[in-house]
Amino acid sequence: MTETVARHDVVIVGAGPAGMTAAVYTGRALRSTLVVEKGIPGGQLNETDRIENWPGVAEPTSAPDLMAALRTQVERLGAEIVQDEVLGIEPGRQVHRVVMPRRAVEARAIILAPGSRPRALSTEGAARLTGRGVSYCATCDGFFFQGKRVVVVGAGDSGLMEALFLTRFADSVAIVVRHPKEDPRAIRASGVLRQRAASHPKIRFLWNRDVAEVVGERGVTAIRLRRLDTGEIEEVPADGIFVNVGHMPQTDFLRGSIPLDADGYIVTDSRLRTSVAGIFAAGDARIDAHRYAQAVIAAGEGATAALEAELYLAE
Amino acid sequence: MTETVARHDVVIVGAGPAGMTAAVYTGRALRSTLVVEKGIPGGQLNETDRIENWPGVAEPTSAPDLMAALRTQVERLGAEIVQDEVLGIEPGRQVHRVVMPRRAVEARAIILAPGSRPRALSTEGAARLTGRGVSYCATCDGFFFQGKRVVVVGAGDSGLMEALFLTRFADSVAIVVRHPKEDPRAIRASGVLRQRAASHPKIRFLWNRDVAEVVGERGVTAIRLRRLDTGEIEEVPADGIFVNVGHMPQTDFLRGSIPLDADGYIVTDSRLRTSVAGIFAAGDARIDAHRYAQAVIAAGEGATAALEAELYLAE
């Protein structure tokens, strides 16, 4: 059994917008607070090049700058942030254990804010150009593609919604579909969306193809597609590519201890309480929140979870 | 009938954190957006002297500074903010009318974010010293009273919760109660809270009194209380007074057009949709949100309502 080295009022798992905002509130309530983050604070925000929809930030900022400000704020209010990986939670009656590779800590309350990640496009150039034309969020980045040509990967409901949303900005939107047009599996979206996308003058479908390479030096300039019938490669000029092939909540470490839904999202009530007393969840790994995947919505949930944790601790 | 002078994609009622964040999102989605605010943008935030729990603002800021930044951001993203009073909403099928004293505008979608106001203490000195020791929010301002003496007005559940919360900061917390100790109406809070408050070493009850005056020049220095049996005035030295005598959602203009609950809060589903298609609500005038009354939670709701309005408009 890993040695338990400390006890905190609140342990927060994840230092994205939800976890950091929760820490602002619990720190400010003078609750001893430990934030554990396995990567770089900021969560999925770090995938975004330029942020201009964080309310109160008048001029566009960068994810590192916003997170640096949040970190300063959190630490000034007394919370501690450590880089470590939570391997599991062991719920208890009065106190819970949070297990990391070389130690464990006790927590009277836990706020789970591990976030989610978009399923990545694994083709050549995709990782290198993420935030430079490769985007996983049309709501976040669509605005930067006014008058541009974009490609969308993913033809489910959210892929087609994003394609339609992108027509508000882009001159042309090409949707890459892995199946031939006549294949009933080609588009998994609802009939209404399919109809609207098919009849939209800015949208065209590129059937029976997948993405072979994202091309560009400083930014995306073209997408190389592979025709799945012939294997032939063709190049489509494009300024951006929006990838919509699903999200993965980062909740594997909770399996067996906290109820998750079939897709791995943390189940809570409307007050963000899991079924375990004293354990709360906030942000994109939580059912409902992932529908939006927006930083300020996750931040609001972090504040809610912190206020509910305070009520719980005061009981 | 008032002349209808313009049509917008989205009209937002209220320029507090919820309405302004909604405008960031609808403006950025290139939806023509009009924000109507009857007073000063900022809503209830303007009652707070110093804000340090708005995430991403590393150093404490003032409500006017934060709202100025939000205003710059909203206007840069294309939304228009006007000072006017909405007298009523006339829901329609494809388009709704928003009626103001000298004009009406049409809106394909409406986001209601009128906020709420705490019931004010009307005694002498209270209005003048609001934000300078007179506070309507312990979660917001308790942190500034470390080592101080505070008075709490209101002995319902939330009054006692706030009193207990304030013991984390203040050296002493005196709760003013309008009834004698033996009167069953004296404390309207639940038994557990009453018990915890009664046994707390920092808390004392001042029975059968009400507030006659808040005393102080630049900040609160004392509270004058009136004994309700004798009429005698007594002065209690104090650095702050927290008022907890209820909130009033600013929703009178919606009566008859949008479903409200018994206390006047706007009823929505979890996606912030009212029962009228195309009309959404966000922030402290909405059921559920007023439980917290925190700016960043209202902001998250503003973003949610805007994303749901965009889905509605795209349909």
Side-chain angles (χ1 to χ4, degrees), chain A residues 9 21 24-25 27-31 50 52-60 66 69-70 72-73 76-77 139-141 143-144 146 161 165 168-169 196 270-271 291-292 294-297 299-300 303-304 307-308 310-311 314-315, chain B residues 9 21 24-25 27-31 50 52-60 66 69-70 72-73 76-77 139-141 143-144 146 161 165 168-169 196 270-271 291-292 294-297 299-300 303-304 307-308 310-311 314-315:
Chain A
D9 290 329
T21 302
V24 165
Y25 274 78
R28 204 155 170 275
L30 304 185
R31 295 293 181 185
R50 212 162 85 112
E52 60 176 14
N53 60 3
W54 184 268
V57 174
E59 295 304 317
L66 177 58
L70 254 171
T72 302
Q73 184 179 18
R76 191 172 60 73
L77 291 170
T139 298
C140 315
D141 302 327
F143 187 77
F144 303 126
Q146 292 179 61
M161 276 303 305
F165 182 72
R168 301 192 59 73
F169 310 97
R196 288 189 42 238
S270 65
R271 290 168 56 187
R291 173 179 172 81
Y292 305 108
Q294 286 298 300
V296 67
I297 296 175
T304 300
L307 294 175
E308 291 290 347
E310 177 61 33
L311 279 180
E315 259 168 21
Chain B
D9 289 329
T21 302
V24 166
Y25 275 78
R28 205 156 169 274
L30 305 185
R31 295 292 180 186
R50 214 163 83 113
E52 60 178 15
N53 60 3
W54 184 267
V57 174
E59 295 305 320
L66 178 58
L70 254 171
T72 302
Q73 184 179 19
R76 192 172 58 74
L77 292 170
T139 298
C140 314
D141 301 328
F143 187 77
F144 303 126
Q146 292 179 63
M161 275 302 307
F165 182 72
R168 302 191 59 72
F169 310 98
R196 288 187 43 236
S270 65
R271 289 168 56 186
R291 174 179 171 80
Y292 306 107
Q294 287 297 301
V296 66
I297 296 175
T304 300
L307 293 175
E308 292 290 347
E310 176 60 33
L311 279 180
E315 259 167 22

Side-chain angles (χ1 to χ4, degrees), chain A residues 152-156 175-189 194 204-211 225-230 234 245:
Chain A
V152 169
V153 183
I175 304 177
V176 179
V177 186
R178 287 184 64 87
H179 298 278
K181 187 175 182 178
E182 54 282 4
D183 188 326
R185 293 167 303 174
I187 295 194
R188 299 177 313 285
R194 184 181 179 146
R204 72 184 193 282
F205 286 92
L206 301 173
W207 304 101
N208 209 20
R209 291 162 170 87
D210 69 5
V211 177
L225 299 175
R226 182 186 300 105
R227 292 192 55 134
L228 294 173
D229 45 2
T230 62
E234 58 192 21
V245 294

Side-chain angles (χ1 to χ4, degrees), chain A residues 49 124-135 145 148-149 213-223 235-241:
Chain A
D49 189 32
E124 206 184 317
R128 183 173 50 85
L129 292 162
T130 293
R132 297 200 177 90
V134 176
S135 170
F145 289 84
K148 311 272 185 179
R149 298 154 305 178
E213 188 184 342
V214 181
V215 182
E217 289 301 320
R218 295 195 176 175
V220 171
T221 55
I223 308 297
E235 193 165 302
V236 178
D239 307 291
I241 178 166

Side-chain angles (χ1 to χ4, degrees), chain B residues 54-106:
Chain B
W54 184 267
V57 174
E59 295 305 320
T61 188
S62 69
D65 285 352
L66 178 58
M67 291 316 299
L70 254 171
R71 182 173 196 127
T72 302
Q73 184 179 19
V74 161
E75 291 180 337
R76 192 172 58 74
L77 292 170
E80 185 188 349
I81 305 169
V82 296
Q83 186 168 10
D84 208 336
E85 184 174 1
V86 175
L87 301 176
I89 301 287
E90 294 170 7
R93 253 180 64 90
Q94 297 296 321
V95 74
H96 314 290
R97 284 182 88 233
V98 178
V99 181
M100 290 166 273
R102 280 175 305 278
R103 59 177 186 148
V105 294
E106 288 183 335

